[in-house]
Amino acid sequence: MWDAVSARVADIVSSYPKTCIFLSVAIAGILTSGLAFAKVETDIRRSFSPHDSDSANEARRYLDFYGLNVYPSRSFILFQTKDPKDDILREESLRYIEAMDAQMTSVLNKVDPVDGLRSCDPVCNINYAFHMFMSELKEERAGNKTSLDSRLFDYPRSRLRGAEIFIGLNIHGTTLRAQPFPGNSSKIVAANTIILHYFSRFDTPQRISDFKNRSLGLFFRSQEHNTSSLVDFSIFGEEIANHEMVRGAFENNTKKNDGPIGCNHNPDTNPGHIRCVWIPMLRRLQNLLNSMRHSPFLVLGIGVDDAFILVHWWNHYKNIKNRDARMRKVLVDVGPSITITSLTNIVAFGVGFLTPTPQMSMFCLCTSIALFFDYIITYSILAPVVYLCQKDKTTSETAIAPIKAPTPAKETRVTRAVRAYSRVICSTKGKLISGVILLGVYAFCTVGVLSVRSTFDPSKAFPADSVLVKAVKKIQPVFNEFFPLHIYVSNPPNITNKQEYATFHNLVDDLESLPMVYSDNKTVIFLNQYEQYDHHMSNLLSSLFMAPQQTDYPLTLHNLGSFLDIIGNPPTIKYKRPQVTGGEGDLEAFAFTIIAKGMHEWGERAKYEEMVRQMLKKYSQFNATLFDADSAVLAVILTTRDDLIGSICLTVACMACVCVLFISNKWGVAIVTAVISSICFCLVGMLSWWGVDMDPVMQVDVLLATGFSVDYTAHIAYQYYQNRGRPEERVYASLIEMASPMLQAGMSTVLCMLPLIFIKTYTIVCFAKTIFIVVGFGLYHGLVVLPALLSFTAKEEEKPTPALINEPLLEMQKKNEAH
């Protein structure tokens, strides 16, 4: 059946070669118009977080809490002394920091004439603790208090102007003096790091433009080293991260184009260059630039294998002078092999579309569609081009050669070497040696698989020359010291009810009992301060009326309104004031912050947030959710291992089903499936040894390899079962036909990917490492392991006379002779 289909395709190509090329180019041109609708997605959350995931629900709750319709943009500036031993609290350094702060706040304090809101509403006081600290410090210095002790403040929690604030979130790298005065906690002597946070609404074009331009302007300025003689600063933000990732995507694509696109354009030596015609269509079908930036070059790497096979067989049958018969012979021989590898690759990435992470899902969908176009173009452009490049030297030849090429009358040095190798690999000794080597490889890779880390480093997403790579390392000590995690309580307890209030305190205690959370009174929650305030006001009222003071006075909401007025009515507390005098009002929602340590490692952050998430679900009556702007990426880290294993298993199963259509031997299908699984296992182990972590980047690359590995197994297996005779004769026939194009394809892929190893950007280097490992292990399995295993499945058979292509072709031959 496959021979008949391939022969029919060959007849169409031979009869209408120019028409096939014209139609393909015309369709590609029409699809190219889709570039006008191309969209670059700049919201990272949409790339990583499924709509119904915990992180997506938490983001929606965050927006509802602040009354936002569009996700805001946030950034922070990290100031550090150039000399680590210097003090950033010096007046010269603080003046520089205040000037930079003023540049950001001048943009955020702009009032929109339509809605009357500032860009920073409702969290314009996000740096309240630092500004309070600065104000107090200036007053101290203005009072000519020159002694060291006059500028000491409690750290990390301090009481300034009657309000208790946590200044540890703004000041880091401190030098402390333990209890300089009786009854006081540790005091700040000096510091070398200050961090300021900024928040901007992103609901109007003007706000988007203003904040983006100011953030990027400061980012470019941060790359200059002469802005201050005392302080360096680094700015982080979503707009900056998106800018650097998009820049890296375009620059890396440009560098990649210097590889495969710059090769020889002779279709007989490098036909893979014509694969680029599908890229516009791919761009129209996707809107995630970061997902598809590897796809064109992935398809080039995979598609070139089919091209090499087709061109190899075209040259192999150069003795057939009639190009119609030659094309028919070539496609009959290689058509099933090209079909099985293309189909399995399409299925492999089609299964990846089911991945819950949108970015990975879109990547797999785009690549699957691209591979389908690649398969079509192999027949609609490559085959006609090869056909037209060959002059028809005779028109009288109508004889149809048998499917299998005849054995050369005189063996060459290469054929003798392949025949000797076939005897060795099929012998008991050869099988034993290959098995021992394979077991050694498994042992080595098993160590790598067991030791691979599930984590993610944000610097991996940026170009190697980006200042963000170094800046990420600067922020790690800050996250190791104090890492805030905000908890939003949508159904707060009735604090006048002792049982409910005690249950809520149990929640806080359980959160503080987590091993990475500070428990020594570092949780930032207004209720602790309000309790003291309410008791104080109650005792004050009792003293005015000469009533005895109560030690166990019940907590009320009567004084919450005045308390909020004193602390500036923060947006983190939603309080509905009473309609009548003397009423208590209603506490509708509030937020509090728990402080953790040792959170510079994203894998640890992911585990920590999942522990907090489960703890909040345990106290579901409060309807509390956490929020972290990076939770979408962190959630992927937790599921990467399971998603990867599930995707590989499902993909391998689907490829096994595809192989059944082409390989009639059930043991052959089982062997091919096992070899593909073996390649994937070895890939994960070797990537771990090569310094690659279990993260979304590895997930995509391993999924890539699952489809790519088929090329090194299906061709050999298909040819093995198409031949007859003893196992070693079958192995010899398969290797003599397929080993050369496989080696050519593997070497060309490695050479095209070799420049990427020097880019020093994690995602690109990981991509290159994956290709190198897959090519290496793919060739090893295809040329060593697979022939040894296949030799077990066939007994010695008499080699029959090669069959002709099929009966319909014989009838076609008779018609041609009649004419």
Side-chain angles (χ1 to χ4, degrees), residues 107-121 201 203-208 210:
V107 172
L108 298 175
N109 285 329
K110 285 185 178 180
V111 179
D112 189 278
V114 178
D115 56 20
L117 296 174
R118 293 176 293 176
S119 295
C120 57
D121 283 331
R201 304 174 72 96
D203 49 5
T204 66
Q206 187 62 43
R207 285 170 176 160
I208 295 173
D210 288 345

Side-chain angles (χ1 to χ4, degrees), residues 16 61 90 104 135 137 187 206 211 248 255 299 319 327 385 463 467 527 589 670 684 696 709 767 805-806:
Y16 312 101
R61 294 282 292 277
R90 294 170 53 181
M104 289 294 292
S135 178
L137 183 61
K187 304 285 184 173
Q206 187 62 43
F211 189 72
K255 293 178 181 179
V299 178
N319 60 309
M327 178 59 66
V385 167
V467 296
L527 290 173
V684 175
S709 60
F767 178 74
I805 292 177
N806 51 36

Side-chain angles (χ1 to χ4, degrees), residues 511-578:
L511 291 174
E512 292 181 340
S513 67
L514 296 176
M516 60 286 292
V517 178
Y518 286 105
S519 59
D520 51 346
N521 198 29
K522 287 186 174 60
T523 298
V524 182
I525 183 170
F526 83 98
L527 290 173
N528 297 332
Q529 299 179 52
Y530 177 67
E531 284 185 41
Q532 300 176 14
Y533 178 81
D534 188 57
H535 290 168
H536 174 73
M537 295 300 294
S538 299
N539 290 332
L540 179 61
L541 185 63
S542 298
S543 63
L544 291 176
F545 288 96
M546 300 181 191
Q549 295 186 356
Q550 301 183 24
T551 58
D552 189 22
Y553 189 85
L555 192 62
T556 70
L557 289 173
H558 290 291
N559 300 307
L560 183 56
S562 60
F563 172 77
L564 295 179
D565 293 336
I566 292 174
I567 64 176
N569 291 299
T572 54
I573 304 173
K574 305 295 182 182
Y575 173 64
K576 185 177 181 180
R577 297 178 182 265

Side-chain angles (χ1 to χ4, degrees), residues 617-733:
K617 291 179 179 180
K618 179 180 176 181
Y619 293 87
S620 58
Q621 65 268 35
F622 301 120
N623 198 14
T625 55
L626 64 86
F627 176 75
D628 183 349
D630 302 318
S631 60
V633 181
L634 296 173
V636 173
I637 294 175
L638 294 175
T639 60
T640 296
R641 187 183 298 271
D642 294 338
D643 290 344
L644 180 61
I645 295 174
S647 297
I648 291 177
C649 293
L650 183 57
T651 303
V652 171
C654 291
M655 287 190 289
C657 296
V658 173
C659 290
V660 170
L661 301 176
F662 296 87
I663 301 175
S664 57
N665 189 290
K666 61 181 180 180
W667 290 109
V669 174
I671 289 174
V672 170
T673 304
V675 170
I676 294 173
S677 303
S678 176
I679 296 174
C680 294
F681 176 79
C682 294
L683 171 65
V684 175
M686 288 302 298
L687 284 175
S688 177
W689 279 108
W690 209 344
V692 179
D693 298 325
M694 179 73 73
D695 56 22
V697 178
M698 177 190 272
Q699 182 179 1
V700 171
D701 290 342
V702 173
L703 188 62
L704 171 161
T706 306
F708 199 19
S709 60
V710 180
D711 295 349
Y712 299 98
T713 56
H715 295 307
I716 295 292
Y718 176 77
Q719 294 296 331
Y720 182 87
Y721 287 106
Q722 286 293 100
N723 287 278
R724 295 293 182 268
R726 294 179 301 168
E728 67 180 66
E729 292 176 350
R730 290 185 172 192
V731 169
Y732 167 76

Side-chain angles (χ1 to χ4, degrees), residues 601-617:
E601 178 68 43
W602 280 50
E604 294 301 317
R605 282 179 60 188
K607 296 176 184 176
Y608 162 59
E609 292 189 5
E610 185 60 25
M611 294 171 66
V612 173
R613 193 175 285 117
Q614 296 304 319
M615 190 70 69
L616 296 178
K617 291 179 179 180

Side-chain angles (χ1 to χ4, degrees), residues 1-14 306 309-311 313-314 317 320 323-339 375 378-380 382-384 386-387 403 718-719 805 809:
M1 179 184 68
W2 299 115
D3 290 348
V5 172
S6 299
R8 181 58 181 166
V9 172
D11 291 337
I12 295 175
V13 170
S14 302
D306 294 339
I309 292 174
L310 191 148
V311 173
W313 280 87
W314 179 262
Y317 289 124
I320 303 178
R323 59 181 181 178
D324 291 356
R326 185 176 177 182
M327 178 59 66
R328 190 182 310 123
K329 188 72 171 68
V330 169
L331 292 189
V332 166
D333 279 357
V334 304
S337 294
I338 293 177
T339 300
Y375 174 69
T378 299
Y379 292 102
S380 64
L382 178 60
V386 171
Y387 177 85
I403 292 180
Y718 176 77
Q719 294 296 331
I805 292 177
L809 290 180

